Amino acid sequence: MSDCLIVGGGVIGMMSARALALKGAQVIVLDQRKCARESSWAGGGIISPLYPWQYDDFTNELSFASQAVYADLCQQLYASSGIDPQYQKHGLLMRDEFDTAPAKAWMKRYQIEYELHPQGAFFSHIGSVRNPRLLAALQADIGNLGVKIIEHTQAQSLMIKNDKVLGVRSAKKDFFADNTVICAGAWSSKLLNLADPVAPIKGQMIVIKADSGTLKHIILNQGQYLIPRVDGSILVGSTTEAVGFDRSTHTHTKNQLYQFACQQVPTLKTAKITQHWSGFRPATQSRKSLIARDKNHYNLFINTGHFRNGLNMAPESANRITQMIYANT
């Protein structure tokens, strides 16, 4: 029996495993596919909510705390794994909404400064990571910390006796633990009866191959964005589609994302699309994250529903759930 069983091997699950392992816990991570192949892998990797004033105080609190540690965290993961997450603090140019009343009130409240440019507002404190590299580094790191990772094993149900969760049942075997943490993203409601259910919101994205230096910072406009990578490629996203677990991608969406990119950076009209994919964001009905101890079972914890902000909230989300577990012992 392990100290902690984490269901879901995305960035939230693996970051939670890391925080627990650093506390000395014996941790198992269970994933229905390969770790980090769902929302965490599919997203853009911006270490900030797109329009922070659209979110609640809790989201902003966790985002700020995570922003403060991301550079050092990526250095630690690189040292441990040999994989560079390619964290870049290259700033974000926002071309809309920054001059609205809610945005101005939010920036005044949090004392956020920006530079006014002819094309918008430039926020120099915002950075990004390359998701697949961050996740590969994180998986290697937690393995080095002694976390046991079990892939291609779907948790089918919780095993419950009285008010205690014993662990989870899968088709292969039963997994027992003193504490169980559900970090199953868009699949969380398949295991939990939540008052604020989690559902998948699909996003489609593309990558355009460009010369290095074509884009030096993130561009955000009308809810869509361009993110430069170290190798010169540019990630463009994304759609927001309530279509259930439909993974399909569509040519018209690919073309729309490409046209958006060319409108923002006209020199991309000669560049080629190299990838097009989709992923499922885990969204509660309220659009608020669920980071809590279950009300009915004292050793069941929930860390899910981060919607578009899982990556940028993950370090502090992991800290909070770890604090809850240790306060419970």
Side-chain angles (χ1 to χ4, degrees), residues 111-275:
Q111 299 181 325
I112 302 298
E113 296 182 354
Y114 64 86
E115 301 170 29
L116 194 58
H117 288 207
Q119 295 182 324
F122 185 72
F123 297 85
S124 60
H125 68 282
I126 293 177
S128 71
V129 295
R130 194 159 187 165
N131 308 34
R133 297 186 66 87
L134 171 76
L135 297 160
L138 181 56
Q139 184 169 354
D141 175 72
I142 64 173
N144 292 339
L145 290 172
V147 175
K148 185 176 182 180
I149 300 169
I150 302 173
E151 299 179 314
H152 304 292
T153 303
Q154 183 179 20
Q156 296 178 331
S157 62
L158 298 173
M159 296 185 294
I160 300 172
K161 184 176 182 180
N162 299 325
D163 64 345
K164 184 176 181 181
V165 174
L166 304 179
V168 300
R169 178 160 286 131
S170 78
K172 297 179 179 179
K173 61 176 288 188
D174 296 340
F175 295 88
F176 295 89
D178 293 330
N179 299 283
T180 299
V181 190
I182 305 301
C183 304
W187 288 263
S188 297
S189 284
K190 293 182 180 293
L191 287 170
L192 301 170
N193 183 20
L194 297 170
D196 193 6
V198 180
I201 301 293
K202 184 169 76 173
Q204 295 185 54
M205 308 183 75
I206 63 171
V207 166
I208 298 173
K209 181 60 179 174
D211 294 331
S212 182
T214 298
L215 182 64
K216 298 184 184 301
H217 50 253
I218 302 164
I219 293 177
L220 174 63
N221 193 14
Q222 299 173 15
Q224 296 184 318
Y225 48 80
L226 281 70
I227 308 171
R229 299 307 197 199
V230 171
D231 64 1
S233 59
I234 297 171
L235 188 148
V236 187
S238 79
T239 62
T240 304
E241 307 170 48
V243 293
F245 290 100
D246 173 11
R247 292 186 185 276
S248 61
T249 56
H250 308 287
T251 300
H252 71 272
T253 301
K254 178 175 69 174
N255 293 338
Q256 184 272 321
L257 291 169
Y258 180 68
Q259 289 167 8
F260 167 77
C262 294
Q263 289 168 359
Q264 307 305 308
V265 183
T267 56
L268 293 177
K269 290 179 181 179
T270 57
K272 293 183 178 181
I273 298 171
T274 58
Q275 295 180 65

Side-chain angles (χ1 to χ4, degrees), residues 178-179 293 297-301 322-329:
D178 293 330
N179 299 283
R293 182 168 70 88
H297 306 98
Y298 74 92
N299 66 333
L300 175 64
F301 299 85
T322 299
Q323 290 166 8
M324 291 178 194
I325 291 170
Y326 273 85
N328 199 51
T329 57

